[in-house]
Amino acid sequence: MRSIGFADDGGTGTDARLFTHTECFETIMSYDSQTTQLSNAYNMRKALIQTSAYWEMRHYDLIDQTVDHAVALYHLQGIGTKRDSSTGIAQLFGEMGIRAWNYCIGKGIVSGVVMDPSKDADIWEMWQKVNKDNAFSMRTVPLMHLWGAGGKPGGINPPAGETVLRSMRVDYTEREIFQVLRRYQGWGNQAEADATKRMAIYQIFEKYNAIMRQLAK
């Protein structure tokens, strides 16, 4: 796991992260049954869900925590202007969570209440869910991927937009896997570089899952 550039522990100084590799892995795997169920339901590689959640949790740092506090101050006390941030183990923005859920509700993939990302109350409601409820965050990760594969309508996309990929399937090519992982983070040089690192983690989870399937027989 050193391939993503962090020490096995939380690190120090500017490289410090709030969670170790072990803590991240154990947290992600604690939702293994749910992840397997969602993977089957959405015809999605299980490692796609695990990789995005693991990567984001491993990158959570003190700066993220400080920004989260600013969001809470905005909504609870009307202080400041920070209405949203990437938060929780999957580092999801309230707005992105809303757009992913709305997209999947609209496609009949999940059921739920359509929310309005322009409303502070809806942003705050979704933000609190992805901030506090790890199971909900893990349920939202595959919806982010489905939204991403669908071109991320309404999201922060390149000037030319995101192309629509083939519908989600377990036989996605390496290029399609790369695109889904990259779109979770965004676009641009940093997102491209990080997606390459995410691919290495994806392959680790793929091998791990294959071993677990063999042992379960």
Side-chain angles (χ1 to χ4, degrees):
M1 292 297 188
R2 294 188 184 94
S3 62
I4 67 172
F6 296 142
D8 288 335
D9 60 14
T12 59
T14 58
D15 290 328
R17 298 298 186 267
L18 296 182
F19 303 104
T20 66
H21 285 307
T22 299
E23 288 171 326
C24 294
F25 180 76
E26 290 179 347
T27 299
I28 301 312
M29 296 313 299
S30 70
Y31 297 98
D32 188 59
S33 294
Q34 174 180 275
T35 303
T36 299
Q37 181 184 20
L38 296 174
S39 169
N40 293 333
Y42 303 144
N43 202 26
M44 181 182 298
R45 300 302 302 182
K46 185 176 175 180
L48 265 178
I49 305 170
Q50 294 165 320
T51 298
S52 290
Y54 175 89
W55 173 276
E56 297 298 340
M57 185 176 179
R58 188 65 182 93
H59 281 72
Y60 191 65
D61 61 18
L62 291 172
I63 294 175
D64 293 317
Q65 195 173 61
T66 299
V67 175
D68 286 350
H69 290 159
V71 172
L73 283 173
Y74 172 85
H75 289 283
L76 294 174
Q77 299 182 35
I79 298 174
T81 60
K82 194 68 177 176
R83 70 190 291 264
D84 199 5
S85 67
S86 57
T87 193
I89 64 169
Q91 285 292 278
L92 290 159
F93 280 87
E95 178 181 347
M96 298 302 104
I98 288 173
R99 292 191 183 281
W101 273 90
N102 284 355
Y103 173 84
C104 292
I105 291 170
K107 294 290 183 180
I109 299 170
V110 296
S111 59
V113 177
V114 172
M115 302 175 77
D116 185 348
S118 70
K119 292 183 177 179
D120 279 0
D122 285 2
I123 288 287
W124 179 233
E125 181 178 342
M126 178 61 72
W127 189 92
Q128 288 183 93
K129 288 180 179 179
V130 295
N131 174 261
K132 299 175 181 178
D133 189 339
N134 289 348
F136 181 83
S137 289
M138 291 296 294
R139 286 171 55 203
T140 303
V141 170
L143 303 189
M144 287 284 292
H145 287 329
L146 291 166
W147 177 50
K152 289 180 70 176
I156 301 174
N157 297 326
E162 296 282 14
T163 59
V164 175
L165 304 178
R166 293 187 300 161
S167 60
M168 188 61 65
R169 57 197 70 192
V170 294
D171 65 347
Y172 257 8
T173 64
E174 292 262 319
R175 176 189 168 278
E176 288 169 320
I177 293 293
F178 179 91
Q179 285 296 318
V180 170
L181 292 174
R182 191 270 298 164
R183 291 177 187 192
Y184 190 100
Q185 180 171 340
W187 62 281
N189 293 336
Q190 189 63 57
E192 293 279 340
D194 286 348
T196 299
K197 295 179 181 179
R198 289 174 190 249
M199 286 295 292
I201 297 173
Y202 172 83
Q203 295 299 339
I204 292 172
F205 274 117
E206 276 286 293
K207 291 177 181 178
Y208 176 85
N209 293 336
I211 292 171
M212 291 299 101
R213 286 193 294 270
Q214 284 295 109
L215 292 176
K217 289 183 178 180

